[in-house]
Each structure stands twice: as structure tokens, then as C-alpha cells.
Amino acid sequence: MKNLVALVDGSRNIHLETRDVPEPGLNEVLIEIASVGICGSDLKYWAYGKCGRFALDGTQMVIGHEAGGTIVAIGQNIKHLKPGDRVAIEPGVPCKSCEICNNGRYNLCQRMKFCATPPVDGNLCKYYVHDADFCYKIPDSMTTEEAAMLEPLSVAVYACQRGEVSLGNSIVIFGAGPVGILCGLVAKSKGAANICIVDIDSGRLNKALELGAAHTVHCCKPGEDPQKVASDILSTIGSAMGPHCSIECSGADSSLSTGVYITRPGGCVVMVGRGSMTPSVPMVCAATKEVDIFGVFRYANNYPQALALLSSGAIDVKPLITHRFTLNDSEKAFETAADSKQKAIKVMINCQ
Ligand SMILES: [Zn+2]
Ligand SMILES: [Zn+2]
């Protein structure tokens, strides 16, 4: 048995390399990876070798962090999983012992090891070892592609939790990529009544409408005034008071400003996307309206919720998967995901 791994180095190439199959430690499981989704952060490491504050610095890294597969071996201490179980892999393993971990916000642990965040290897490969505490058994009714989709879905569940999205709320989401669309689906399942999605790509907006958004706004041209965009959005949703919550998933700095302008007094802006390191935001407007701005960094304790949403049928993520490739064709998969002409929402790689 040999392992095959897909490496990136920031030069828009995927190098396939044969390695030994890793052995699970006492508290780990060995997983035969079946499905891996490509995420925006994966594309950044592939194309530029960096994402936000993390950089490859000339090294190679196994890419991939949205994965599902089948357990083939378990460490000596493992009781809750067995070979043959199909699992979703939560890609971040925190230290489990610091004050932040003990308080439950383990996504903020400073000793976090997260798949495909340098220098930690990801799981776009045939065989992969992971901490068993962060593997979730999926029911027979769920596919391994859906298991992979639990990663972006967990981001959306956490974003809606941070924004306290609840019954009857009006929500505006910036960005109709996978995370924006998933935020819309989660908000809807939490009873949000009026969901509007804003994007520059009309194809993505059509997908958002198909999946239940009440309104879409096609915007923005570069340099467009956020206050002008804000008034367009408010007239589209038919509410001068504005949404209870705005969720920024586009990574455009200007959307953060627009979010502050449109959000109703006492509401909140949830920042999921990442634009520049120092975006200019109308903070005085936020302060005088008591509009809170909540950061989102990945998720904590949200995999079980996301799993329940899928297995109960409350949310269907399958329509988001637009393209499929094999592990050997990973490079084509990344090129497709990066090319806006391909109209990809979620690109999946089958590793078996
Ligand atoms: Zn992701
Ligand atoms: Zn910790």
C-alpha cells in the first residue's frame, strides 16, 4: 500500500508525490480519503503560496482541508470509531489544554494545527491520519461529498450563531460563493424570513435564488460608493430600517462598509470574508447605531450541528457541487475552481 499526496508551492502547480502510508498514533485514526472539496483558501496557497497571515515561504504543503473518507485503522485508545466507519474530518486540532480550549472557543487556540495551513499538511491524498476526537461518523444516508461539505457548512453555522440569526430576521449576505450561499441556507433553517444575497456574478446570484434567497442585488463596480450601494440594497429588500444582521462573505473591503450602513440600529455585522489587513470601516456610524461587528475564525463545536442539518434533510448541499475530478486530475480541478468562466460553486475531488 502506498500513499499519493497532492502538494502545492504557490506556483499554480499541483505536484503528485508517492509517500509511505502514515501510521495512526494512540489517539488517531487512519482514513482512506474519498472526497475533498476545494476552498478559497486552498486556491490562494495554490496560486500565491499564502493566505491571510499564513505563508508557505518556499516550502511545499499537502493541500486540502474539506474531506470525508473511510476509517481503515485505529489507534490503541480509540473506542468510538472502528475500521469501516465513514467519517467527516474536522480539519483543525487544537491543543485541548489551554484556557481558550477549556473555555470552548478552541478555534482560537494558539497551538491549533489546521490542515493545509502552513506548516501543517492537508488531506488531499489517498491516506491520511487524524485525531479521532475530530472525526465524526456519518450515517449511511450521507455521502462522503456531503461529509466534505460539513467544513464550509460549519463556517456558515458558526457565522449565523455569532450573528444570533433567529426567527423572522431579515438578513443581507455579501458574496454568493459556497460560504455565502450556505449562510443563506442556515439562516433560512433558523427561521430568517427575508434573505438577500449581494454579488458581482449574476450566475451565482441565480444559484442563490434557486436555493431560496428572497432577493438578490447585483453589485458592485470597483470604486462604487458604499452608501449608494447601501441605498440600493435597502430599496431592494423594502426595509428602510435595514436587516437585523449583515454577513460579509465576499472579502471585499467595501462590503464591510456597506454592511455597517445598511444594518439596523442594534443589529450586527458578521465578518467571515477576508479582504485587506486594514480595511477602512465607518466605525462612528457603527458605534452611534450600536451595530456590533463580530469576527469569525473558522468554527468551534459546530460540526455536530452541521451534520444534523444534513442528515435530517433540513439543508441540502448537493446542488452546490458543480464539478468533480479525480486525485490525478487535481491540477485541472484547481484551474477550474479558479476560473470564473467555469461557473464553479464547489469543486470536489474524488481520491479513490
Ligand atoms: Zn474551507
Ligand atoms: Zn488550546
Side-chain angles (χ1 to χ4, degrees):
M1 228 164 60
K2 274 288 177 190
N3 197 8
L4 190 65
V5 304
L7 297 151
V8 296
D9 62 6
S11 66
R12 288 187 170 255
N13 289 304
I14 297 276
H15 307 277
L16 290 173
E17 188 177 285
T18 303
R19 291 185 179 175
D20 290 334
V21 175
E23 296 253 341
L26 293 178
N27 300 304
E28 293 177 329
V29 291
L30 175 66
I31 302 158
E32 185 174 12
I33 299 290
S35 308
V36 180
I38 300 179
C39 176
S41 65
D42 297 323
L43 288 175
K44 286 185 181 163
Y45 291 120
W46 170 73
Y48 315 112
K50 56 180 192 231
C51 177
R53 63 191 156 96
F54 303 101
L56 292 175
D57 289 327
T59 60
Q60 289 197 332
M61 174 181 78
V62 182
I63 197 69
H65 65 271
E66 302 181 353
T70 304
I71 293 184
V72 287
I74 60 173
Q76 278 177 23
N77 295 346
I78 307 307
K79 301 269 187 290
H80 71 292
L81 294 168
K82 58 181 188 312
D85 285 349
R86 296 181 316 138
V87 290
I89 302 165
E90 180 174 348
V93 179
C95 81
K96 306 182 195 175
S97 60
C98 72
E99 195 178 322
I100 291 170
C101 282
N102 289 334
N103 286 335
R105 295 179 73 173
Y106 64 82
N107 57 320
L108 306 176
C109 173
Q110 291 175 311
R111 285 184 279 166
M112 171 70 82
K113 291 193 174 71
F114 198 94
C115 287
T117 296
V120 181
D121 277 336
N123 46 28
L124 182 53
C125 56
K126 274 199 184 301
Y127 294 98
Y128 172 74
V129 152
H130 201 68
D131 187 315
D133 289 348
F134 291 84
C135 294
Y136 302 85
K137 186 176 173 177
I138 59 169
D140 293 343
S141 59
M142 253 173 85
T143 65
T144 51
E145 288 187 344
E146 290 177 286
M149 289 297 290
L150 288 186
E151 204 278 339
L153 182 58
S154 293
V155 174
V157 169
Y158 185 55
C160 289
Q161 176 186 317
R162 293 279 284 160
E164 295 178 3
V165 173
S166 54
L167 211 56
N169 279 183
S170 163
I171 309 291
V172 173
I173 297 163
F174 294 90
V179 171
I181 290 179
L182 289 169
C183 282
L185 293 173
V186 173
K188 199 160 193 188
S189 77
K190 294 184 88 167
N194 191 5
I195 295 164
C196 174
I197 303 202
V198 182
D199 201 281
I200 52 172
D201 183 323
S202 50
R204 289 191 156 192
L205 289 177
N206 287 337
K207 194 73 156 189
L209 277 178
E210 263 169 48
L211 295 172
H215 308 284
T216 57
V217 173
H218 187 240
C219 101
C220 313
K221 298 178 210 85
E224 206 167 354
D225 176 20
Q227 274 174 296
K228 153 87 174 67
V229 178
S231 74
D232 289 350
I233 294 171
L234 292 178
S235 65
T236 301
I237 64 174
S239 157
M241 197 185 283
H244 296 80
C245 174
S246 298
I247 307 179
E248 204 311 288
C249 304
S250 75
D253 289 354
S254 62
S255 297
L256 215 46
S257 298
T258 308
V260 169
Y261 288 129
I262 59 171
T263 301
R264 70 174 58 191
C268 68
V269 175
V270 180
M271 184 182 170
V272 183
R274 294 285 181 276
S276 70
M277 292 306 271
T278 52
S280 92
V281 179
M283 290 306 287
V284 176
C285 174
T288 51
K289 292 200 295 181
E290 296 190 6
V291 165
D292 294 325
I293 300 174
F294 293 121
V296 163
F297 188 62
R298 299 167 178 157
Y299 34 73
N301 301 303
N302 300 108
Y303 256 69
Q305 298 164 327
L307 202 160
L309 284 171
L310 287 198
S311 61
S312 67
I315 285 183
D316 182 9
V317 294
K318 291 191 285 291
L320 275 71
I321 303 169
T322 52
H323 295 74
R324 291 177 171 86
F325 293 89
T326 62
L327 181 56
N328 280 312
D329 277 335
S330 292
E331 193 159 299
K332 222 179 274 171
F334 274 72
E335 281 164 2
T336 302
D339 179 3
S340 61
K341 288 195 288 294
Q342 302 295 325
K343 305 270 174 227
I345 304 277
K346 180 58 76 180
V347 174
M348 255 321 143
I349 297 177
N350 184 330
C351 295
Q352 287 183 345

